[in-house]
Amino acid sequence: MSARSTLRALPTLLRIGVSEAVAYRAEMFVWVLSTTMPLIMMALWTAVAREAPVGAYGSQDFVRYFLAAFVVRQMTGAWAAWMINYEVRQGTLAMRLLRPISPLWGYAAENLGAMPMRLFVVVPIASFAVYTVGWRSVPETVWGWAFFLVSLFGGWLITFLVNVAIGTLSLYMESSTKLMDVWLALFFVCSGYLYPVDLFPPVWRTIIDWLPFRYQIGLPVELMTNAHGFGEALGLLGRQWLWVGLMLVISLGLWNRGLKRFAAFGG
Amino acid sequence: MLRRYLGLLGVQLRASSLLAMQYRGDFVIEGIISLFWTATALAPLFVVYRERESIAGWSFGEALLVIGWFTLLQGILEGAINPSLTGVVEHIRKGTLDFVLLKPADAQFLVSTARFLPWRSINVLAGLGLFVYGFRLIGRAPSPVGVLASLVLLGTSVLLLYSLWILTVSAAFYVVKVDNLTYFFTSIFDAARWPASVFRGALAFVFTFVIPLAVMTTFPAEAMLGRLPWTSLLWAVVGSILFAFLSRRVWLHSIGHYTSASS
């Protein structure tokens, strides 16, 4: 499979992803409703900050932070782990393998194809944030926007690649959805989804700075709400893409080795 | 009539415990995962209370009681309510619900008792552990009357939870692709982790009257602390019975409009 024909197939794959997202819009709506955690955390933290600010965060900052967290979560979603699990168990992965293009591109295109639909939720929320808590809710500079978009893409890539890695593990064991649950639990606690990572005790902070979770949600959110200067932001972006690279190596390695073990009917 | 249904319940319970025994390895793994979840669920609490002594009138120990009730109910939800009713969604998709409807017993009863996951009882134990720890932090024991009231509220909470689930499942008759419904439900239920007085404005209204989360975890915790007014207890009982009645009507309505796989 040459790189050129992969590139030629991509627009079509993306188009399929978009039409699938449009076809199952009710499902997407339900999913959006089930990611309301940031809004609940927002209610909680503004209640905490009512008397006095928490660290650097006042009530308004929490509103800004959690609306951004909601937006980032919408735009970095991936569900390849469940798909791979399901398709391995059902044996339908064989269908995908028959195509002259790696199934991973298919999964990726399905995820990315859902993003345009998500904008219908994300843009109003972001506008609402700007309306209620001011322009600091979105990047204020041009480089800020650029960094934010890059971090958003990086965050999605980490999420997607972790999904692929854990999904692929279902080729080694019966089902890896349990493992995904464990990952998700760590993700919720360490990613900045439930509270800004600044609020962790310093020792924890250092550990979390080196773990991948923060770069899935926390970093894009911080960049969206103008939490860092240029130099600091650049350093954090570097770490994020280091994780992207590492995850790429891990997940592709697992995938290629795992496929050799895949023996559905006819295989 | 009642005896027949009790007998049926026995049969269903035996069948699902046999099924669970088949996968003994799962018991350990599931147990570890559910303890792990409980531990991570506590993390936000520690972060919040690192900042303040009390939040919206709840001290750390008191908030632990709410989380204890949440964990306990989660165990019941995931052990007894979720598994069998997720089966309904599967039935609808595959068209095998017809077989259930043909059986000479109430369909809601049959689908609600189809499957149990006994290992989720670990969650119930974790919840009880949190109660003990919470009360040790507060420095006194719950009053006997309070415990009694909280037991009544346990009944109403389970009834509310079950009715909410029935309503969610009824939605499955109308929406085609519903894999996400479980996630939707559990993520809404997640808000019950926090004392209801934390929420203000629109959220407070929704969580008290529309999705009565406040009644499920905050009320029992307050009852244990001996500060729940009797009128609230009465309202919880009346409200949950009304809610159960409503969900039963909705279920019958959706079953009535269900066009089976072959028609």
Side-chain angles (χ1 to χ4, degrees):
Chain A
M1 182 68 201
S2 72
R4 238 187 78 209
S5 39
T6 305
L7 272 180
R8 251 205 349 246
L10 263 187
T12 317
L13 283 174
L14 281 173
R15 223 169 22 246
I16 295 172
V18 172
S19 8
E20 242 175 75
V22 173
Y24 293 117
R25 49 193 183 277
E27 193 198 31
M28 192 203 81
F29 183 66
V30 169
W31 187 79
V32 169
L33 282 180
S34 68
T35 50
T36 47
M37 183 75 105
L39 305 181
I40 288 164
M41 294 317 280
M42 187 169 87
L44 180 73
W45 280 104
T46 44
V48 176
R50 214 170 278 147
E51 301 142 35
V54 182
Y57 292 85
S59 285
Q60 296 236 320
D61 300 302
F62 276 122
V63 172
R64 193 173 290 139
Y65 184 91
F66 286 112
L67 287 179
F70 184 79
V71 165
V72 169
R73 176 96 157 113
Q74 299 305 314
M75 298 308 286
T76 56
W79 51 92
W82 289 274
M83 300 230 10
I84 296 174
N85 247 299
Y86 182 79
E87 293 186 2
V88 166
R89 253 186 319 150
Q90 302 279 320
T92 46
L93 184 62
M95 251 54 119
R96 284 192 191 255
L97 286 170
L98 282 176
R99 296 184 193 162
I101 183 170
S102 168
L104 295 185
W105 288 107
Y107 295 126
E110 255 167 72
N111 277 195
L112 288 178
M115 297 309 165
M117 272 297 275
R118 298 268 170 83
L119 286 177
F120 285 101
V121 180
V122 163
V123 172
I125 291 279
S127 322
F128 175 75
V130 170
Y131 174 72
T132 48
V133 283
W135 279 104
R136 274 181 67 79
S137 313
V138 287
E140 284 177 313
T141 50
V142 176
W143 65 261
W145 272 103
F147 278 17
F148 167 59
L149 292 177
V150 169
S151 73
L152 207 57
F153 186 55
W156 175 75
L157 267 175
I158 295 178
T159 312
F160 174 72
L161 291 171
V162 166
N163 262 276
V164 168
I166 294 182
T168 309
L169 285 177
S170 61
L171 291 162
Y172 297 88
M173 44 206 221
E174 255 174 81
S175 163
S176 61
T177 45
K178 296 267 150 46
L179 205 66
M180 197 64 205
D181 283 348
V182 173
W183 172 275
L184 274 181
L186 287 172
F187 163 78
F188 282 137
V189 174
C190 304
S191 66
Y193 188 55
L194 300 180
Y195 28 78
V197 284
D198 302 1
L199 298 182
F200 272 109
V203 185
W204 277 91
R205 254 320 283 284
T206 337
I207 300 172
I208 282 167
D209 271 350
W210 287 105
L211 293 177
F213 309 105
R214 186 201 168 171
Y215 302 100
Q216 291 181 272
I217 297 278
L219 182 63
V221 171
E222 288 156 27
L223 291 178
M224 186 169 165
T225 53
N226 306 292
H228 300 297
F230 184 83
E232 205 181 346
L234 198 66
L236 285 167
L237 266 186
R239 285 195 200 184
Q240 184 189 39
W241 282 83
L242 220 64
W243 267 111
V244 171
L246 194 65
M247 284 298 174
L248 194 69
V249 172
I250 295 175
S251 59
L252 283 186
L254 277 173
W255 173 257
N256 288 331
R257 286 172 62 100
L259 272 194
K260 298 207 179 80
R261 300 170 57 103
F262 180 63
F265 49 105
Chain B
M1 181 71 177
L2 188 65
R3 261 187 62 196
R4 196 175 131 232
Y5 274 92
L6 280 179
L8 262 176
L9 182 66
V11 171
Q12 302 251 53
L13 272 177
R14 208 157 47 239
S16 55
S17 44
L18 280 177
L19 208 66
M21 288 306 194
Q22 231 177 342
Y23 305 100
R24 264 177 304 251
D26 274 13
F27 196 93
V28 180
I29 298 173
E30 293 275 348
I32 293 171
I33 288 178
S34 91
L35 283 181
F36 179 75
W37 266 111
T38 312
T40 51
L42 286 176
L45 195 77
F46 283 113
V47 177
V48 171
Y49 278 95
R50 216 167 63 88
E51 298 292 336
R52 296 279 186 279
E53 280 289 298
S54 81
I55 286 147
W58 291 75
S59 72
F60 182 66
E62 291 165 350
L64 270 183
L65 297 183
V66 178
I67 296 223
W69 276 103
F70 174 80
T71 313
L72 199 153
L73 283 178
Q74 200 182 30
I76 295 174
L77 176 70
E78 287 177 2
I81 300 176
N82 237 345
S84 41
L85 290 177
T86 316
V88 183
V89 176
E90 198 65 25
H91 273 314
I92 296 172
R93 243 204 353 203
K94 287 189 181 158
T96 43
L97 191 69
D98 301 23
F99 300 125
V100 179
L101 294 176
L102 281 174
K103 286 179 186 163
D106 184 68
Q108 188 180 347
F109 174 83
L110 283 178
V111 296
S112 312
T113 54
R115 206 160 154 247
F116 293 90
L117 300 176
W119 50 68
R120 287 288 174 209
S121 47
I122 290 170
N123 253 23
V124 176
L125 292 180
L128 293 179
L130 283 174
F131 291 152
V132 174
Y133 184 56
F135 272 108
R136 273 192 56 184
L137 285 182
I138 298 168
R140 63 181 174 87
S143 67
V145 183
V147 172
L148 212 66
S150 68
L151 282 178
V152 172
L153 284 167
L154 174 65
T156 63
S157 310
V158 172
L159 194 61
L160 279 174
L161 209 52
Y162 173 71
S163 315
L164 275 174
W165 230 136
I166 286 286
L167 287 177
T168 316
V169 167
S170 300
F173 285 96
Y174 302 99
V175 192
V176 190
K177 216 176 165 190
V178 280
D179 303 358
N180 282 338
L181 276 182
T182 333
Y183 286 105
F184 170 59
F185 191 83
T186 43
S187 65
I188 298 257
F189 182 56
D190 246 359
R193 204 190 291 266
W194 302 97
S197 51
V198 162
F199 302 110
R200 296 245 171 130
L203 273 181
F205 179 80
V206 169
F207 288 154
T208 315
F209 296 105
V210 186
I211 311 166
L213 294 178
V215 182
M216 286 189 238
T217 55
T218 309
F219 276 28
E222 281 185 323
M224 275 178 140
L225 290 165
R227 61 185 194 203
L228 185 77
W230 286 105
T231 44
S232 300
L233 182 66
L234 192 72
W235 272 117
V237 173
V238 174
S240 62
I241 291 173
L242 274 176
F243 211 77
F245 178 73
L246 180 80
S247 73
R248 172 76 181 165
R249 300 308 308 173
V250 172
W251 164 265
L252 287 178
H253 183 83
S254 0
I255 280 282
H257 284 249
Y258 169 66
T259 46
S260 68
S262 52
S263 61

